[in-house]
Amino acid sequence: MKATFPLLGYDTYALKTFVEDLGGEVVLPPATSKKTLEAGVEASPELICMPFKITLGNFLEALDMGADTVFMAAGARKCRFGYYHYLQERALARSGRPFRLIPVSQYSPYAFLFRLMPVTFGVSPTRVIRSVAVMFYKAGLTHEFRALLNRRRALDFAGTERLKPRALELLEAARSTSEIRAARRSLRRLLGCNGSRPVLRVGLVGEIFFMIEQFANGDIEKELARLGVEVVFERSLLHHLRHLLHLDWSFYRSRRLARRYLRECPGGEALRTVGEAIHFVEHDRVDGIVHVYPFTCMPENIALEALQQLTEDTGVPVLSLSFDEHTSRTGLQTRLEAYVDMLRRRSRERSISRD
Amino acid sequence: MSEAYLGIDVGSISTKGVVIDRDAQVLASRYLRTQGSPVVAIRRLLRELGEMVGGETVISGAGTTGSARRLAGVIVQADIVKNEIIAHAVAACRFHPEARTVLEIGGQDSKIIILRDGIPVDFAMNNVCAAGTGSFLDHQATRLSIPIEDFGGLALKAKHRVNIAGRCTVFAESDMIHKAQLGIATSDIVAGLCDAIVRNYMNTVARGKEIRPPVLFQGGVAANVGVRDAFERALGQPVTVPEHFLVMGAVGAAILAMEETEGRQTRFDGFGTADIEFETRAFECDGCPNRCEVIETLRAGQVIDRYGDRCGKWSEAVVQPVR
């Protein structure tokens, strides 16, 4: 079996480690590019959200490289994401390439551990549980890597960009728990910044795919770092995995905080978006909130209204950015620059009035 | 010999330039149509501003803004290249320090800036389409063969303002034609259009923003008394149009240049730059599947700037970096 799955930014490495640990062979498509998006758009219904188009493009590219099994998350809970795999299966079949699509439900951990994975890979459930543990460990590493990278890059952009290839090598190579532990130490040495902190920090919230996949969000973390801003985030594959196993305590905190503005869950990840934003503002004392989501995303559009309330109550400005295949890089750049300039002027003013 | 600062704002429709003195008094200002070729417009602007201020004035700093700010910055060797939001906010605060809301509608974009105690604290830009911006008004004025200068005045003569769909320019135009075919007076339709533009602005750009007085209205569309009147009706409060509303972005860029060059030499090398040949060309990089379109600017045959590549392999290869 040559397995493939959607690219999820740095978290792709954690999924890859998981499948390889189970004995599967992974065929990763090339990093998402304009070509991927074009292929995905061509095979997709026009008004569907961006993540559908991008992941479909990834699958098409992976099948061209010889992949034969596609893993796609499934399970609908108040968002059409759960139905993606039905449509994608049809679109891939239309393309005439031979393949098998395995939907992985996000909401049945027991079926996943005791039936789906053992049957698919021909291994025992104990083995699957071990591999899941390794994936957890690795997802923790990619999460920490991103946090280290964001801080270090905001302080020294060019220098950190030069270190990045080496860091990515370390990240990719770590496969067992002991290797991951060693890689964590090396990464901390390589990217640590001895307690110094950038002047400006913003919290990243929104739809998870757009928060972790760099092509989708125009590598917003890099662009903000270039402007000297550290991006603080909470959600990544790590939290997603924890959430699926009902072990994610930060979710309960977010849900509690979000109740201030949203009494019901409008679907998707809206509660997390709002709750995390409140947490970043009140606990991490960030200077601003950047909110990213696909253009047609209904839950995030509702979250947007709640975030505007948050701005009104706390004075922390929110930059909401919706993305689709027509989003221009220039427009994104202008907004980010203006936003950072504004934050800088505000913080300068604050420090003057404090003196 | 007096010290002066140059500010240039190159937008999609118009190119604006000002020369200000240390007290931000406008010594010379010029408003030109960009007509699709910013390089030509910038050179003409420099030549005309140079003639207006004469040889006595020495430029001690230059700043650029607007959608072609980068290109303009490269051409005039600006000391600072800043986005439109900050430029507009800075200029608004200088002339009206009490302002708390700035509405700005330009040729192809519109924005709202919220100010508190002279600092921008929040902003928004139109992010989807250009409905309700200057170019649409321009197009409608041409279609009705009314000079754009008289367009707003006509709206004030309206007796019964009609309702025009303002969400999308295509719908707005067909709605206007439909109302005209019913025999409704042009002035009523134009007033309806002004209302539609304001409604669209309030529902998209200004959505969720708290508009507190005093309100400033700047940008090219502020010249239109009809839209200004529609804003006052919608907000239920007076809207001030600053004296230099057309060139506020450029004024802001000049003020920023003044701050930037405090205690050091300017990089601007005189209005003579207008006579140097500049060329801009684009090519597609085939280094990876992203196939980025790279734009390069040549000054007298020499590459002085490149941008548009995601990875930075072209832009970082240029020797002289732009700040």
Side-chain angles (χ1 to χ4, degrees):
Chain A
M1 178 176 67
K2 290 178 173 175
T4 195
F5 43 79
L7 296 181
L8 296 175
Y10 304 121
D11 286 332
T12 309
Y13 295 127
L15 293 175
K16 183 164 179 263
T17 303
F18 174 64
V19 177
E20 284 175 350
D21 202 66
L22 284 172
E25 188 190 336
V26 174
V27 176
L28 278 188
T32 306
S33 68
K34 218 160 78 183
K35 203 172 132 205
T36 317
L37 179 60
E38 279 164 15
V41 167
E42 205 188 305
S44 302
E46 197 204 335
L47 288 175
I48 204 142
C49 10
M50 261 286 259
F52 182 97
K53 295 174 181 171
I54 294 178
T55 52
L56 184 58
N58 288 149
F59 295 155
L60 288 167
E61 286 186 338
L63 292 186
D64 283 341
M65 289 172 65
D68 54 24
T69 307
V70 175
F71 286 96
M72 180 64 187
R77 287 221 177 152
K78 299 178 181 177
C79 167
R80 58 184 171 183
F81 170 75
Y83 303 110
Y84 274 10
H85 69 98
Y86 292 112
L87 279 176
Q88 286 182 330
E89 190 167 19
R90 288 187 191 184
L92 290 174
R94 260 201 310 275
S95 78
R97 298 161 171 95
F99 74 100
R100 175 168 67 128
L101 189 143
I102 301 182
V104 181
S105 170
Q106 303 183 71
Y107 302 104
S108 22
Y110 297 106
F112 177 81
L113 294 175
F114 297 105
R115 201 167 57 236
L116 185 64
M117 288 296 120
V119 170
T120 311
F121 288 96
V123 294
S124 69
T126 334
R127 175 79 187 277
V128 176
I129 290 169
R130 200 195 73 189
S131 299
V132 168
V134 173
M135 169 162 64
F136 254 98
Y137 216 42
K138 182 81 178 247
L141 183 68
T142 56
H143 187 94
E144 185 169 346
F145 162 74
R146 227 174 108 208
L148 285 168
L149 183 72
N150 284 354
R151 172 163 297 181
R152 171 79 197 242
R153 251 196 316 208
L155 289 163
D156 167 21
F157 184 78
T160 313
E161 281 296 298
R162 270 195 302 277
L163 293 176
K164 204 177 141 193
R166 171 86 193 107
L168 287 178
E169 256 169 50
L170 284 169
L171 194 63
E172 188 173 3
R175 288 205 172 78
S176 64
T177 42
S178 61
E179 282 170 6
I180 293 169
R181 232 185 338 261
R184 172 168 288 142
R185 276 194 299 274
S186 313
L187 281 173
R188 281 180 184 161
R189 252 198 316 278
L190 192 67
L191 297 173
C193 23
N194 303 321
S196 41
R197 267 181 165 196
V199 183
L200 288 179
R201 291 152 74 238
V202 299
L204 184 66
V205 298
E207 189 274 333
I208 187 165
F209 184 74
F210 273 82
M211 288 175 64
I212 63 180
E213 170 53 42
Q214 288 86 26
F215 177 83
N217 64 27
D219 212 342
I220 197 163
E221 291 179 345
K222 181 176 172 184
E223 295 306 323
L224 283 165
R226 202 198 294 275
L227 299 167
V229 179
E230 180 188 351
V231 175
V232 188
F233 62 95
E234 185 174 274
R235 230 170 321 155
S236 65
L237 183 68
L238 177 69
H239 286 76
H240 204 60
L241 292 175
R242 279 191 196 152
H243 184 56
L244 304 185
L245 297 179
H246 305 282
L247 292 171
D248 184 14
W249 311 123
S250 65
F251 169 72
Y252 302 107
R253 183 213 63 216
S254 288
R255 196 173 58 179
R256 180 170 47 79
L257 287 172
R259 221 166 268 153
R260 214 180 288 173
Y261 301 112
L262 293 172
R263 235 169 301 160
E264 304 277 334
C265 178
E269 294 160 291
L271 286 182
R272 286 206 75 137
T273 292
V274 175
E276 272 166 25
I278 298 173
H279 181 72
F280 287 149
V281 168
E282 294 181 352
H283 182 262
D284 296 305
R285 304 255 159 227
V286 293
D287 301 276
I289 297 287
V290 176
H291 177 214
V292 291
Y293 60 98
F295 179 52
T296 52
C297 183
M298 188 272 280
E300 293 298 329
N301 269 301
I302 294 172
L304 170 63
E305 303 279 325
L307 291 177
Q308 285 171 348
Q309 276 293 317
L310 178 68
T311 301
E312 231 166 82
D313 293 348
T314 61
V316 174
V318 175
L319 180 69
S320 275
L321 299 165
S322 68
F323 292 84
D324 67 6
E325 61 264 38
H326 309 295
T327 301
S328 90
R329 280 187 72 211
T330 335
L332 178 66
Q333 203 70 42
T334 301
R335 281 170 181 79
L336 289 177
E337 268 177 44
Y339 187 67
V340 172
D341 272 339
M342 181 181 83
L343 295 182
R344 192 151 281 141
R345 275 167 190 270
R346 285 171 62 120
S347 87
R348 209 162 55 200
E349 204 66 25
R350 265 205 310 273
S351 60
I352 290 169
S353 60
R354 221 181 289 140
D355 288 341
Chain B
M1 209 167 76
S2 59
E3 258 183 33
Y5 299 88
L6 172 71
I8 296 179
D9 177 357
V10 189
S12 53
I13 306 291
S14 60
T15 300
K16 287 81 67 177
V18 292
V19 176
I20 61 166
D21 64 13
R22 280 203 73 85
D23 302 319
Q25 291 309 305
V26 177
L27 303 176
S29 87
R30 202 75 193 89
Y31 179 96
L32 303 170
R33 294 255 161 177
T34 308
Q35 292 174 320
S37 69
V39 177
V40 176
I42 294 164
R43 293 174 65 189
R44 215 180 112 202
L45 188 77
L46 281 178
R47 203 173 302 121
E48 293 184 9
L49 280 175
E51 281 164 16
M52 285 166 87
V53 297
E56 296 294 286
T57 314
V58 175
I59 300 294
S60 327
T64 62
T65 186
S67 48
R69 60 184 178 279
R70 195 185 162 94
L71 175 69
V74 170
I75 290 181
V76 306
Q77 305 210 43
D79 299 296
I80 188 162
V81 175
K82 215 34 147 206
N83 57 77
E84 308 88 287
I85 305 272
I86 298 297
H88 274 280
V90 163
C93 292
R94 179 56 71 104
F95 293 104
H96 296 272
E98 75 288 355
R100 291 204 285 182
T101 308
V102 178
L103 316 172
E104 202 268 349
I105 306 186
Q108 228 161 57
D109 67 357
S110 45
K111 36 194 164 294
I112 182 168
I113 309 169
I114 307 292
L115 301 165
R116 294 290 177 265
D117 308 316
I119 319 161
V121 293
D122 201 3
F123 70 88
M125 283 172 90
N126 60 335
N127 52 356
V128 188
C129 80
T133 58
S135 51
F136 175 58
L137 278 175
D138 218 13
H139 174 66
Q140 292 310 320
T142 315
R143 193 174 63 81
L144 298 168
S145 38
I146 303 166
I148 185 75
E149 295 78 17
D150 304 338
F151 203 63
L154 193 60
L156 297 186
K157 296 196 189 104
K159 292 193 185 68
H160 308 283
R161 311 170 79 89
V162 292
N163 193 18
I164 302 283
R167 173 65 81 182
C168 165
T169 56
V170 178
F171 296 159
E173 179 163 332
S174 54
D175 208 17
M176 284 172 73
I177 293 172
H178 172 67
K179 297 275 153 66
Q181 309 300 63
L182 294 176
I184 294 171
T186 312
S187 59
D188 291 347
I189 295 176
V190 172
L193 178 65
C194 293
D195 285 340
I197 282 171
V198 168
R199 199 165 54 238
N200 183 41
Y201 181 91
M202 301 302 285
N203 286 336
T204 56
V205 183
R207 183 174 189 81
K209 304 277 182 260
E210 196 188 356
I211 299 181
R212 286 201 208 157
V215 180
L216 292 190
F217 181 23
Q218 48 197 43
V221 174
N224 187 312
V225 286
V227 177
R228 188 179 139 195
D229 178 59
F231 263 122
E232 290 185 336
R233 284 165 189 269
L235 295 171
Q237 53 186 305
V239 168
T240 313
V241 175
E243 187 191 348
H244 302 291
F245 67 91
L246 262 185
V247 292
M248 282 302 252
V251 172
I255 295 172
L256 288 165
M258 183 165 23
E259 289 171 3
E260 182 71 20
T261 52
E262 204 64 61
R264 57 180 191 82
Q265 280 288 313
T266 177
R267 293 171 62 226
F268 179 68
D269 61 350
F271 290 105
T273 313
D275 303 322
I276 301 171
E277 270 308 320
F278 284 95
E279 194 194 338
T280 307
R281 58 189 187 196
F283 63 90
E284 200 169 79
C285 168
D286 52 11
C288 81
N290 276 321
R291 302 191 312 272
C292 298
E293 192 177 43
V294 184
I295 317 279
E296 56 180 14
T297 310
L298 293 87
R299 178 188 155 111
Q302 193 124 34
V303 177
I304 51 168
D305 182 45
R306 282 203 197 102
Y307 74 100
D309 46 344
R310 277 167 187 266
C311 65
K313 87 168 174 188
W314 293 101
S315 49
E316 280 154 24
V318 182
V319 210
Q320 183 193 355
V322 178
R323 268 167 300 154

